[in-house]
């Protein structure tokens, strides 16, 4: 079976001089290699083709047969690395927490520990007849988060 660490190292070496970065490498039991990359702006098809050709030149099909797929992360894919969170600061995201609730709001900040999201809530002030909308910042650690996705809204 092809070594995931080897493929990851090859990808990171190749991407070191570009704006692209490695998000994930998956080696399936049938030797299907799936490499996901991202960029703070956009990943082009040429970036994927170039990386695919580079990996094919480094891996020996005579030693072990494999299928290789190199692609960019989809807009609806969950975030997997901190850089994806940093890229999406200021964007609306959906966070599914491990203990059940789903949180939607604007991603305000992210670091190695977790994220801060600005969430709109309807509250009824004491003595008021109607609820009002307030914005509160909620902090969540990565241990609490099951997944985070970019939220697409059509208005």
């Amino acid at each position: 079976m092809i070594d995931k660490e080897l493929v990851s190292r090859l990808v990171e070496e190749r991407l070191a001089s570009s704006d692209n970065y490695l998000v994930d490498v998956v080696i399936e039991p049938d030797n299907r290699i799936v490499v996901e990359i991202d960029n703070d702006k956009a990943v082009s098809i040429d970036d994927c083709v170039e990386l695919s050709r580079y990996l094919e030149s480094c891996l020996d099909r005579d030693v072990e047969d494999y299928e290789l797929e190199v692609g960019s992360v989809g807009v609806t894919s969950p975030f997997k690395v901190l850089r994806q969170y940093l890229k999406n600061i200021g964007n609306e995201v959906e966070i599914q927490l491990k203990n059940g609730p789903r949180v939607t709001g604007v991603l305000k900040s992210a670091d190695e520990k977790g994220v801060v999201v600005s969430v709109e809530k309807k509250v009824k002030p004491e003595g008021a007849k109607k609820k009002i909308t307030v914005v509160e910042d909620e902090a969540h650690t990565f241990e609490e988060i099951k997944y985070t996705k970019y939220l697409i809204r059509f208005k």
Side-chain angles (χ1 to χ4, degrees), residues 115-132:
V115 299
V116 175
V117 182
S118 295
V119 179
E120 287 187 4
K121 295 182 178 183
K122 297 242 185 226
V123 295
K124 188 175 179 182
E126 197 172 314
K129 293 182 179 182
K130 288 182 157 184
K131 288 185 177 183
I132 60 169

Side-chain angles (χ1 to χ4, degrees), residues 2-154:
I2 294 176
D3 182 36
K4 178 179 178 175
E5 297 303 317
L6 169 66
V7 175
S8 297
R9 185 174 45 79
L10 290 169
V11 171
E12 286 177 351
E13 286 173 4
R14 185 62 176 194
L15 297 181
S17 62
S18 75
D19 291 333
N20 296 323
Y21 55 91
L22 176 63
V23 172
D24 199 11
V25 172
V26 176
I27 311 284
E28 296 178 353
D30 59 351
N31 270 355
R32 181 171 177 252
I33 305 167
V34 180
V35 177
E36 292 181 319
I37 61 174
D38 204 351
N39 186 305
D40 293 334
K41 294 181 180 136
V43 176
S44 74
I45 188 73
D46 294 335
D47 294 334
C48 296
V49 169
E50 180 185 321
L51 181 58
S52 178
R53 288 183 180 152
Y54 172 74
L55 289 172
E56 287 180 356
S57 73
C58 294
L59 300 173
D60 189 353
R61 285 193 189 272
D62 293 333
V63 172
E64 198 157 12
D65 194 29
Y66 61 87
E67 177 184 343
L68 178 62
E69 178 183 321
V70 176
S72 64
V73 177
V75 71
T76 59
S77 298
F79 301 165
K80 296 181 181 178
V81 296
L82 178 59
R83 193 159 167 190
Q84 290 178 294
Y85 284 89
L86 296 173
K87 167 186 172 179
N88 282 285
I89 289 176
N91 292 331
E92 195 168 11
V93 296
E94 172 185 283
I95 299 174
Q96 176 65 55
L97 299 173
K98 290 178 182 174
N99 66 0
R102 185 172 290 158
V103 177
T104 59
V106 176
L107 184 60
K108 194 170 181 181
S109 66
D111 61 24
E112 309 79 36
K113 296 174 189 151
V115 299
V116 175
V117 182
S118 295
V119 179
E120 287 187 4
K121 295 182 178 183
K122 297 242 185 226
V123 295
K124 188 175 179 182
E126 197 172 314
K129 293 182 179 182
K130 288 182 157 184
K131 288 185 177 183
I132 60 169
T133 302
V134 296
V135 177
E136 293 180 1
D137 289 347
E138 291 185 7
H140 298 284
T141 64
F142 288 121
E143 287 81 35
E144 299 174 315
I145 297 173
K146 184 174 183 179
Y147 68 79
T148 303
K149 293 181 179 181
Y150 175 75
L151 188 60
I152 300 172
R153 291 196 192 262
F154 299 101

